[in-house]
Amino acid sequence: MREILIVGGGYAGFYTAWGLEKAVRAGEARVTVVDPRPYMTYQPFLPEVTAGSVEARHAAVSLRRHLRRTRLVAGSVTEIRHKDRAVTVRPADGAAYELRYDILVVTAGAVTRTFPVPGVAERAIGLKHVEEAVAIRDRLLTAFDQAASLPPGPARRKLLTVTFVGGGFSGVEGFGELLSLATAMLKYYPELGPEDLSFHLVEARDRILPEVSDGPGEWVVRSLERRGARVHLDTQLVSAVDGHVVLSDGEEFDSELIVWTAGNASNPVVHNHTDLPVDERGLLVVRPDLRVGTASEPLPDVWAAGDDAAVPDLALPIPGARTVPNAQHAVRQGKRLAKNIAADLRGRRIRDYRHGSLGVVATLGLGRGIFQYRRLVIKGLPAWLMHRGYHVLAVPTWERKIRVLSVWLTAAVFGRDLVSLASVQHPREAFVTSADTRPAPLSGAHHGRE
């Protein structure tokens, strides 16, 4: 059997492995997926996880449950040496080791792009993984409980000040959903009012949501500001030391919660630790058929897709255009990859990847959204319903679709759950505290049976 090794179990990797399980015959090849997490994160649901509209576990698709004929390796690939047909895997515990392959698929996924801004590494939190979305929600809920017991003043103001850095889809959706949650929570806290909330969205460019045209983007800014938020365009974060935010426009304020969503960078293993060809952005050079290499010189038995692959966009009439790194492309590239690899194993024709955009849709909070397809723009509740409808259809497996729908229906009747479980981030704290305060045993006391 030929060994097919998939680096990364995100969108593209999961759908490639899932497709290969259906396309590859028994005994024809063995598929292995290497990823440090045991699940694929459905990232479009993360903003709704921050708002409690989607349960955290429902935004994660178990690899072992759905990839039953695939070998799963828990670890991170730290080096790719195609000349040796080998990768280096670093597990969570233990020494690194080597895995060999016959066919390599690189779908490692991007990482959060950061800049050396003082205080960011110590104070900020990202919005790329389920754990981060849960932590953001719990921190806001905890801040409400703490602020309600304080008199008006700087301490209360800091607790209820939220800052998002980055105005792409992830940042705007997370910002809008968290603003919606905070506004809805005020009715349960009579001690607090709208004037206590302070939400800031910071974007270095002169506009947000680059995937939509100028008019809809400006409408989103006006919509957020009507809801009491501040949108800082052409502005950079200068410092966040101890939660004290300093912006390049001269404004300063204290913020308890700082969320960093300022874009993605190529995975370090692709950018720095591989002998595969990469372009000036650190992305793998990929042909339209998803083979790694150039049109004239494809590398044998190496394929790539997703955020770390510079895949030519054949649906655009622009020379040199590349597919944008979003879920819409990653899912379809993974499906095409599986079909092409299976065809190549049998000496059959492989096909180029081509997908025309279905448009872009974003949630801006409960009942609010924006959709654009070419010149067609839909705003408000209809766009929000389109967002939910599209993503419940797009999330893989019927089991996940039903679970998400059940939560939405329950929330429609009873409202969102507003309980903070921030203590789960320190599960032993209560036990250690009780152990430290336990009275000392009496002198000369005996223990056990006599």
Side-chain angles (χ1 to χ4, degrees), residues 231-265:
V231 180
H232 305 263
L233 300 178
D234 279 324
T235 305
Q236 297 179 358
L237 178 65
V238 175
S239 175
V241 175
D242 295 329
H244 182 70
V245 172
V246 180
L247 303 180
S248 61
D249 62 4
E251 188 165 351
E252 300 184 24
F253 51 87
D254 291 327
S255 181
E256 181 67 20
L257 179 57
I258 301 172
V259 183
W260 184 272
T261 59
N264 295 325

PDB file of all heavy atoms in Angstrom, residues 231-265:
ATOM      1  N   VAL A 231     -15.472  52.687  15.892  1.00  0.00           N
ATOM      2  CA  VAL A 231     -14.668  52.053  14.851  1.00  0.00           C
ATOM      3  C   VAL A 231     -13.538  53.006  14.488  1.00  0.00           C
ATOM      4  O   VAL A 231     -13.781  54.118  14.010  1.00  0.00           O
ATOM      5  CB  VAL A 231     -15.516  51.721  13.603  1.00  0.00           C
ATOM      6  CG1 VAL A 231     -14.642  51.060  12.538  1.00  0.00           C
ATOM      7  CG2 VAL A 231     -16.676  50.796  13.984  1.00  0.00           C
ATOM      8  N   HIS A 232     -12.308  52.581  14.722  1.00  0.00           N
ATOM      9  CA  HIS A 232     -11.129  53.408  14.473  1.00  0.00           C
ATOM     10  C   HIS A 232     -10.472  52.939  13.171  1.00  0.00           C
ATOM     11  O   HIS A 232      -9.796  51.899  13.144  1.00  0.00           O
ATOM     12  CB  HIS A 232     -10.123  53.282  15.620  1.00  0.00           C
ATOM     13  CG  HIS A 232     -10.693  53.591  16.972  1.00  0.00           C
ATOM     14  ND1 HIS A 232     -10.559  54.818  17.577  1.00  0.00           N
ATOM     15  CD2 HIS A 232     -11.410  52.814  17.848  1.00  0.00           C
ATOM     16  CE1 HIS A 232     -11.153  54.802  18.763  1.00  0.00           C
ATOM     17  NE2 HIS A 232     -11.667  53.587  18.950  1.00  0.00           N
ATOM     18  N   LEU A 233     -10.658  53.687  12.080  1.00  0.00           N
ATOM     19  CA  LEU A 233     -10.041  53.348  10.802  1.00  0.00           C
ATOM     20  C   LEU A 233      -8.724  54.103  10.646  1.00  0.00           C
ATOM     21  O   LEU A 233      -8.501  55.145  11.280  1.00  0.00           O
ATOM     22  CB  LEU A 233     -10.987  53.691   9.654  1.00  0.00           C
ATOM     23  CG  LEU A 233     -12.342  52.970   9.664  1.00  0.00           C
ATOM     24  CD1 LEU A 233     -13.205  53.438   8.505  1.00  0.00           C
ATOM     25  CD2 LEU A 233     -12.151  51.460   9.619  1.00  0.00           C
ATOM     26  N   ASP A 234      -7.851  53.585   9.776  1.00  0.00           N
ATOM     27  CA  ASP A 234      -6.518  54.181   9.593  1.00  0.00           C
ATOM     28  C   ASP A 234      -5.799  54.335  10.929  1.00  0.00           C
ATOM     29  O   ASP A 234      -5.112  55.328  11.182  1.00  0.00           O
ATOM     30  CB  ASP A 234      -6.617  55.549   8.910  1.00  0.00           C
ATOM     31  CG  ASP A 234      -6.758  55.432   7.410  1.00  0.00           C
ATOM     32  OD1 ASP A 234      -6.137  54.522   6.832  1.00  0.00           O
ATOM     33  OD2 ASP A 234      -7.487  56.246   6.816  1.00  0.00           O
ATOM     34  N   THR A 235      -5.986  53.352  11.803  1.00  0.00           N
ATOM     35  CA  THR A 235      -5.463  53.447  13.166  1.00  0.00           C
ATOM     36  C   THR A 235      -4.779  52.137  13.532  1.00  0.00           C
ATOM     37  O   THR A 235      -5.260  51.052  13.191  1.00  0.00           O
ATOM     38  CB  THR A 235      -6.599  53.728  14.165  1.00  0.00           C
ATOM     39  OG1 THR A 235      -7.303  54.902  13.762  1.00  0.00           O
ATOM     40  CG2 THR A 235      -6.048  53.937  15.570  1.00  0.00           C
ATOM     41  N   GLN A 236      -3.663  52.254  14.223  1.00  0.00           N
ATOM     42  CA  GLN A 236      -2.932  51.077  14.668  1.00  0.00           C
ATOM     43  C   GLN A 236      -2.851  51.042  16.184  1.00  0.00           C
ATOM     44  O   GLN A 236      -2.904  52.084  16.851  1.00  0.00           O
ATOM     45  CB  GLN A 236      -1.521  51.064  14.078  1.00  0.00           C
ATOM     46  CG  GLN A 236      -1.491  50.976  12.565  1.00  0.00           C
ATOM     47  CD  GLN A 236      -0.074  50.991  12.023  1.00  0.00           C
ATOM     48  OE1 GLN A 236       0.890  51.108  12.772  1.00  0.00           O
ATOM     49  NE2 GLN A 236       0.054  50.872  10.713  1.00  0.00           N
ATOM     50  N   LEU A 237      -2.736  49.824  16.716  1.00  0.00           N
ATOM     51  CA  LEU A 237      -2.510  49.655  18.146  1.00  0.00           C
ATOM     52  C   LEU A 237      -1.022  49.881  18.420  1.00  0.00           C
ATOM     53  O   LEU A 237      -0.169  49.193  17.865  1.00  0.00           O
ATOM     54  CB  LEU A 237      -2.924  48.253  18.586  1.00  0.00           C
ATOM     55  CG  LEU A 237      -2.699  47.901  20.052  1.00  0.00           C
ATOM     56  CD1 LEU A 237      -3.573  48.767  20.954  1.00  0.00           C
ATOM     57  CD2 LEU A 237      -2.993  46.431  20.300  1.00  0.00           C
ATOM     58  N   VAL A 238      -0.718  50.831  19.287  1.00  0.00           N
ATOM     59  CA  VAL A 238       0.670  51.177  19.597  1.00  0.00           C
ATOM     60  C   VAL A 238       1.157  50.425  20.825  1.00  0.00           C
ATOM     61  O   VAL A 238       2.294  49.949  20.879  1.00  0.00           O
ATOM     62  CB  VAL A 238       0.815  52.701  19.810  1.00  0.00           C
ATOM     63  CG1 VAL A 238       2.233  53.063  20.245  1.00  0.00           C
ATOM     64  CG2 VAL A 238       0.429  53.456  18.540  1.00  0.00           C
ATOM     65  N   SER A 239       0.275  50.272  21.823  1.00  0.00           N
ATOM     66  CA  SER A 239       0.666  49.594  23.059  1.00  0.00           C
ATOM     67  C   SER A 239      -0.581  49.073  23.761  1.00  0.00           C
ATOM     68  O   SER A 239      -1.671  49.641  23.633  1.00  0.00           O
ATOM     69  CB  SER A 239       1.420  50.552  23.981  1.00  0.00           C
ATOM     70  OG  SER A 239       1.707  49.938  25.229  1.00  0.00           O
ATOM     71  N   ALA A 240      -0.389  47.966  24.502  1.00  0.00           N
ATOM     72  CA  ALA A 240      -1.479  47.406  25.314  1.00  0.00           C
ATOM     73  C   ALA A 240      -0.941  46.918  26.652  1.00  0.00           C
ATOM     74  O   ALA A 240      -1.475  45.982  27.243  1.00  0.00           O
ATOM     75  CB  ALA A 240      -2.154  46.267  24.573  1.00  0.00           C
ATOM     76  N   VAL A 241       0.091  47.533  27.148  1.00  0.00           N
ATOM     77  CA  VAL A 241       0.737  47.115  28.388  1.00  0.00           C
ATOM     78  C   VAL A 241      -0.250  47.241  29.546  1.00  0.00           C
ATOM     79  O   VAL A 241      -0.867  48.294  29.756  1.00  0.00           O
ATOM     80  CB  VAL A 241       2.003  47.958  28.649  1.00  0.00           C
ATOM     81  CG1 VAL A 241       2.613  47.601  30.003  1.00  0.00           C
ATOM     82  CG2 VAL A 241       3.019  47.744  27.530  1.00  0.00           C
ATOM     83  N   ASP A 242      -0.415  46.148  30.300  1.00  0.00           N
ATOM     84  CA  ASP A 242      -1.309  46.099  31.454  1.00  0.00           C
ATOM     85  C   ASP A 242      -2.744  46.480  31.101  1.00  0.00           C
ATOM     86  O   ASP A 242      -3.489  46.987  31.951  1.00  0.00           O
ATOM     87  CB  ASP A 242      -0.789  47.001  32.582  1.00  0.00           C
ATOM     88  CG  ASP A 242       0.531  46.513  33.144  1.00  0.00           C
ATOM     89  OD1 ASP A 242       0.750  45.288  33.136  1.00  0.00           O
ATOM     90  OD2 ASP A 242       1.351  47.352  33.559  1.00  0.00           O
ATOM     91  N   GLY A 243      -3.135  46.250  29.838  1.00  0.00           N
ATOM     92  CA  GLY A 243      -4.492  46.567  29.427  1.00  0.00           C
ATOM     93  C   GLY A 243      -4.731  48.025  29.112  1.00  0.00           C
ATOM     94  O   GLY A 243      -5.870  48.415  28.812  1.00  0.00           O
ATOM     95  N   HIS A 244      -3.689  48.841  29.141  1.00  0.00           N
ATOM     96  CA  HIS A 244      -3.830  50.261  28.784  1.00  0.00           C
ATOM     97  C   HIS A 244      -3.583  50.396  27.285  1.00  0.00           C
ATOM     98  O   HIS A 244      -2.454  50.252  26.818  1.00  0.00           O
ATOM     99  CB  HIS A 244      -2.851  51.133  29.567  1.00  0.00           C
ATOM    100  CG  HIS A 244      -2.997  52.600  29.279  1.00  0.00           C
ATOM    101  ND1 HIS A 244      -4.087  53.333  29.700  1.00  0.00           N
ATOM    102  CD2 HIS A 244      -2.206  53.464  28.581  1.00  0.00           C
ATOM    103  CE1 HIS A 244      -3.964  54.579  29.306  1.00  0.00           C
ATOM    104  NE2 HIS A 244      -2.838  54.686  28.610  1.00  0.00           N
ATOM    105  N   VAL A 245      -4.629  50.651  26.536  1.00  0.00           N
ATOM    106  CA  VAL A 245      -4.563  50.697  25.083  1.00  0.00           C
ATOM    107  C   VAL A 245      -4.161  52.086  24.623  1.00  0.00           C
ATOM    108  O   VAL A 245      -4.757  53.094  25.028  1.00  0.00           O
ATOM    109  CB  VAL A 245      -5.930  50.310  24.468  1.00  0.00           C
ATOM    110  CG1 VAL A 245      -5.933  50.536  22.963  1.00  0.00           C
ATOM    111  CG2 VAL A 245      -6.260  48.866  24.803  1.00  0.00           C
ATOM    112  N   VAL A 246      -3.145  52.131  23.772  1.00  0.00           N
ATOM    113  CA  VAL A 246      -2.703  53.382  23.153  1.00  0.00           C
ATOM    114  C   VAL A 246      -2.824  53.211  21.646  1.00  0.00           C
ATOM    115  O   VAL A 246      -2.251  52.283  21.072  1.00  0.00           O
ATOM    116  CB  VAL A 246      -1.252  53.728  23.540  1.00  0.00           C
ATOM    117  CG1 VAL A 246      -0.825  55.040  22.881  1.00  0.00           C
ATOM    118  CG2 VAL A 246      -1.096  53.815  25.051  1.00  0.00           C
ATOM    119  N   LEU A 247      -3.583  54.104  21.001  1.00  0.00           N
ATOM    120  CA  LEU A 247      -3.794  54.035  19.562  1.00  0.00           C
ATOM    121  C   LEU A 247      -2.974  55.098  18.844  1.00  0.00           C
ATOM    122  O   LEU A 247      -2.609  56.126  19.433  1.00  0.00           O
ATOM    123  CB  LEU A 247      -5.283  54.216  19.233  1.00  0.00           C
ATOM    124  CG  LEU A 247      -6.249  53.225  19.888  1.00  0.00           C
ATOM    125  CD1 LEU A 247      -7.678  53.533  19.468  1.00  0.00           C
ATOM    126  CD2 LEU A 247      -5.881  51.787  19.536  1.00  0.00           C
ATOM    127  N   SER A 248      -2.714  54.845  17.568  1.00  0.00           N
ATOM    128  CA  SER A 248      -1.895  55.771  16.787  1.00  0.00           C
ATOM    129  C   SER A 248      -2.591  57.099  16.532  1.00  0.00           C
ATOM    130  O   SER A 248      -1.940  58.078  16.170  1.00  0.00           O
ATOM    131  CB  SER A 248      -1.513  55.129  15.450  1.00  0.00           C
ATOM    132  OG  SER A 248      -2.668  54.817  14.681  1.00  0.00           O
ATOM    133  N   ASP A 249      -3.921  57.167  16.720  1.00  0.00           N
ATOM    134  CA  ASP A 249      -4.629  58.435  16.552  1.00  0.00           C
ATOM    135  C   ASP A 249      -4.591  59.285  17.817  1.00  0.00           C
ATOM    136  O   ASP A 249      -5.211  60.353  17.890  1.00  0.00           O
ATOM    137  CB  ASP A 249      -6.079  58.198  16.110  1.00  0.00           C
ATOM    138  CG  ASP A 249      -6.889  57.414  17.145  1.00  0.00           C
ATOM    139  OD1 ASP A 249      -6.361  57.108  18.230  1.00  0.00           O
ATOM    140  OD2 ASP A 249      -8.065  57.089  16.857  1.00  0.00           O
ATOM    141  N   GLY A 250      -3.865  58.811  18.839  1.00  0.00           N
ATOM    142  CA  GLY A 250      -3.699  59.566  20.071  1.00  0.00           C
ATOM    143  C   GLY A 250      -4.648  59.182  21.184  1.00  0.00           C
ATOM    144  O   GLY A 250      -4.464  59.595  22.333  1.00  0.00           O
ATOM    145  N   GLU A 251      -5.663  58.377  20.906  1.00  0.00           N
ATOM    146  CA  GLU A 251      -6.625  58.000  21.935  1.00  0.00           C
ATOM    147  C   GLU A 251      -6.043  56.923  22.841  1.00  0.00           C
ATOM    148  O   GLU A 251      -5.339  56.017  22.388  1.00  0.00           O
ATOM    149  CB  GLU A 251      -7.921  57.507  21.296  1.00  0.00           C
ATOM    150  CG  GLU A 251      -9.040  57.285  22.311  1.00  0.00           C
ATOM    151  CD  GLU A 251     -10.403  57.164  21.658  1.00  0.00           C
ATOM    152  OE1 GLU A 251     -10.514  57.426  20.441  1.00  0.00           O
ATOM    153  OE2 GLU A 251     -11.361  56.799  22.375  1.00  0.00           O
ATOM    154  N   GLU A 252      -6.357  57.017  24.140  1.00  0.00           N
ATOM    155  CA  GLU A 252      -5.901  56.044  25.128  1.00  0.00           C
ATOM    156  C   GLU A 252      -7.068  55.672  26.043  1.00  0.00           C
ATOM    157  O   GLU A 252      -7.903  56.511  26.374  1.00  0.00           O
ATOM    158  CB  GLU A 252      -4.753  56.613  25.974  1.00  0.00           C
ATOM    159  CG  GLU A 252      -3.514  57.002  25.184  1.00  0.00           C
ATOM    160  CD  GLU A 252      -2.380  57.465  26.079  1.00  0.00           C
ATOM    161  OE1 GLU A 252      -2.374  57.057  27.268  1.00  0.00           O
ATOM    162  OE2 GLU A 252      -1.517  58.228  25.611  1.00  0.00           O
ATOM    163  N   PHE A 253      -7.117  54.411  26.449  1.00  0.00           N
ATOM    164  CA  PHE A 253      -8.141  53.948  27.374  1.00  0.00           C
ATOM    165  C   PHE A 253      -7.712  52.596  27.939  1.00  0.00           C
ATOM    166  O   PHE A 253      -6.851  51.920  27.377  1.00  0.00           O
ATOM    167  CB  PHE A 253      -9.511  53.832  26.690  1.00  0.00           C
ATOM    168  CG  PHE A 253      -9.494  53.044  25.411  1.00  0.00           C
ATOM    169  CD1 PHE A 253      -9.637  51.659  25.413  1.00  0.00           C
ATOM    170  CD2 PHE A 253      -9.334  53.693  24.187  1.00  0.00           C
ATOM    171  CE1 PHE A 253      -9.609  50.929  24.236  1.00  0.00           C
ATOM    172  CE2 PHE A 253      -9.310  52.965  23.003  1.00  0.00           C
ATOM    173  CZ  PHE A 253      -9.453  51.586  23.023  1.00  0.00           C
ATOM    174  N   ASP A 254      -8.315  52.211  29.051  1.00  0.00           N
ATOM    175  CA  ASP A 254      -8.046  50.911  29.670  1.00  0.00           C
ATOM    176  C   ASP A 254      -9.077  49.900  29.173  1.00  0.00           C
ATOM    177  O   ASP A 254     -10.274  50.197  29.110  1.00  0.00           O
ATOM    178  CB  ASP A 254      -8.111  51.004  31.194  1.00  0.00           C
ATOM    179  CG  ASP A 254      -6.953  51.812  31.766  1.00  0.00           C
ATOM    180  OD1 ASP A 254      -5.865  51.763  31.171  1.00  0.00           O
ATOM    181  OD2 ASP A 254      -7.160  52.508  32.779  1.00  0.00           O
ATOM    182  N   SER A 255      -8.598  48.702  28.855  1.00  0.00           N
ATOM    183  CA  SER A 255      -9.478  47.672  28.301  1.00  0.00           C
ATOM    184  C   SER A 255      -9.152  46.334  28.940  1.00  0.00           C
ATOM    185  O   SER A 255      -8.009  45.860  28.873  1.00  0.00           O
ATOM    186  CB  SER A 255      -9.310  47.588  26.780  1.00  0.00           C
ATOM    187  OG  SER A 255     -10.156  46.616  26.229  1.00  0.00           O
ATOM    188  N   GLU A 256     -10.164  45.702  29.545  1.00  0.00           N
ATOM    189  CA  GLU A 256      -9.960  44.406  30.190  1.00  0.00           C
ATOM    190  C   GLU A 256      -9.812  43.285  29.167  1.00  0.00           C
ATOM    191  O   GLU A 256      -9.035  42.360  29.357  1.00  0.00           O
ATOM    192  CB  GLU A 256     -11.143  44.099  31.118  1.00  0.00           C
ATOM    193  CG  GLU A 256     -11.035  42.785  31.864  1.00  0.00           C
ATOM    194  CD  GLU A 256      -9.896  42.783  32.876  1.00  0.00           C
ATOM    195  OE1 GLU A 256      -9.439  43.877  33.275  1.00  0.00           O
ATOM    196  OE2 GLU A 256      -9.473  41.673  33.269  1.00  0.00           O
ATOM    197  N   LEU A 257     -10.557  43.376  28.068  1.00  0.00           N
ATOM    198  CA  LEU A 257     -10.554  42.323  27.058  1.00  0.00           C
ATOM    199  C   LEU A 257     -10.031  42.880  25.740  1.00  0.00           C
ATOM    200  O   LEU A 257     -10.616  43.803  25.171  1.00  0.00           O
ATOM    201  CB  LEU A 257     -11.970  41.763  26.875  1.00  0.00           C
ATOM    202  CG  LEU A 257     -12.167  40.662  25.827  1.00  0.00           C
ATOM    203  CD1 LEU A 257     -11.259  39.470  26.114  1.00  0.00           C
ATOM    204  CD2 LEU A 257     -13.623  40.226  25.775  1.00  0.00           C
ATOM    205  N   ILE A 258      -8.918  42.295  25.254  1.00  0.00           N
ATOM    206  CA  ILE A 258      -8.318  42.692  23.979  1.00  0.00           C
ATOM    207  C   ILE A 258      -8.258  41.461  23.094  1.00  0.00           C
ATOM    208  O   ILE A 258      -7.665  40.444  23.473  1.00  0.00           O
ATOM    209  CB  ILE A 258      -6.911  43.281  24.180  1.00  0.00           C
ATOM    210  CG1 ILE A 258      -6.972  44.505  25.099  1.00  0.00           C
ATOM    211  CG2 ILE A 258      -6.283  43.662  22.833  1.00  0.00           C
ATOM    212  CD1 ILE A 258      -5.595  45.033  25.511  1.00  0.00           C
ATOM    213  N   VAL A 259      -8.902  41.524  21.933  1.00  0.00           N
ATOM    214  CA  VAL A 259      -8.968  40.394  21.011  1.00  0.00           C
ATOM    215  C   VAL A 259      -8.193  40.755  19.749  1.00  0.00           C
ATOM    216  O   VAL A 259      -8.462  41.774  19.113  1.00  0.00           O
ATOM    217  CB  VAL A 259     -10.426  40.037  20.660  1.00  0.00           C
ATOM    218  CG1 VAL A 259     -10.466  38.798  19.763  1.00  0.00           C
ATOM    219  CG2 VAL A 259     -11.233  39.795  21.936  1.00  0.00           C
ATOM    220  N   TRP A 260      -7.241  39.898  19.379  1.00  0.00           N
ATOM    221  CA  TRP A 260      -6.368  40.143  18.229  1.00  0.00           C
ATOM    222  C   TRP A 260      -6.850  39.316  17.037  1.00  0.00           C
ATOM    223  O   TRP A 260      -6.796  38.093  17.051  1.00  0.00           O
ATOM    224  CB  TRP A 260      -4.929  39.768  18.585  1.00  0.00           C
ATOM    225  CG  TRP A 260      -3.946  40.082  17.501  1.00  0.00           C
ATOM    226  CD1 TRP A 260      -3.576  39.284  16.462  1.00  0.00           C
ATOM    227  CD2 TRP A 260      -3.196  41.293  17.348  1.00  0.00           C
ATOM    228  NE1 TRP A 260      -2.657  39.900  15.660  1.00  0.00           N
ATOM    229  CE2 TRP A 260      -2.393  41.148  16.182  1.00  0.00           C
ATOM    230  CE3 TRP A 260      -3.120  42.484  18.076  1.00  0.00           C
ATOM    231  CZ2 TRP A 260      -1.532  42.150  15.735  1.00  0.00           C
ATOM    232  CZ3 TRP A 260      -2.262  43.481  17.622  1.00  0.00           C
ATOM    233  CH2 TRP A 260      -1.487  43.302  16.480  1.00  0.00           C
ATOM    234  N   THR A 261      -7.333  40.000  16.002  1.00  0.00           N
ATOM    235  CA  THR A 261      -7.807  39.331  14.790  1.00  0.00           C
ATOM    236  C   THR A 261      -7.220  40.021  13.558  1.00  0.00           C
ATOM    237  O   THR A 261      -7.918  40.242  12.561  1.00  0.00           O
ATOM    238  CB  THR A 261      -9.343  39.356  14.719  1.00  0.00           C
ATOM    239  OG1 THR A 261      -9.793  40.720  14.730  1.00  0.00           O
ATOM    240  CG2 THR A 261      -9.964  38.608  15.878  1.00  0.00           C
ATOM    241  N   ALA A 262      -5.940  40.360  13.634  1.00  0.00           N
ATOM    242  CA  ALA A 262      -5.302  41.171  12.584  1.00  0.00           C
ATOM    243  C   ALA A 262      -4.719  40.326  11.460  1.00  0.00           C
ATOM    244  O   ALA A 262      -3.609  40.575  10.984  1.00  0.00           O
ATOM    245  CB  ALA A 262      -4.226  42.066  13.202  1.00  0.00           C
ATOM    246  N   GLY A 263      -5.448  39.318  11.022  1.00  0.00           N
ATOM    247  CA  GLY A 263      -5.035  38.575   9.834  1.00  0.00           C
ATOM    248  C   GLY A 263      -4.245  37.320  10.132  1.00  0.00           C
ATOM    249  O   GLY A 263      -3.958  36.981  11.286  1.00  0.00           O
ATOM    250  N   ASN A 264      -3.874  36.617   9.050  1.00  0.00           N
ATOM    251  CA  ASN A 264      -3.175  35.341   9.139  1.00  0.00           C
ATOM    252  C   ASN A 264      -1.794  35.430   8.515  1.00  0.00           C
ATOM    253  O   ASN A 264      -1.513  36.279   7.669  1.00  0.00           O
ATOM    254  CB  ASN A 264      -3.970  34.239   8.423  1.00  0.00           C
ATOM    255  CG  ASN A 264      -5.299  33.974   9.095  1.00  0.00           C
ATOM    256  OD1 ASN A 264      -5.420  34.061  10.315  1.00  0.00           O
ATOM    257  ND2 ASN A 264      -6.304  33.658   8.302  1.00  0.00           N
ATOM    258  N   ALA A 265      -0.934  34.515   8.934  1.00  0.00           N
ATOM    259  CA  ALA A 265       0.398  34.352   8.346  1.00  0.00           C
ATOM    260  C   ALA A 265       0.580  32.883   7.988  1.00  0.00           C
ATOM    261  O   ALA A 265      -0.079  32.003   8.560  1.00  0.00           O
ATOM    262  CB  ALA A 265       1.477  34.799   9.331  1.00  0.00           C
TER     263      ALA A 265
END
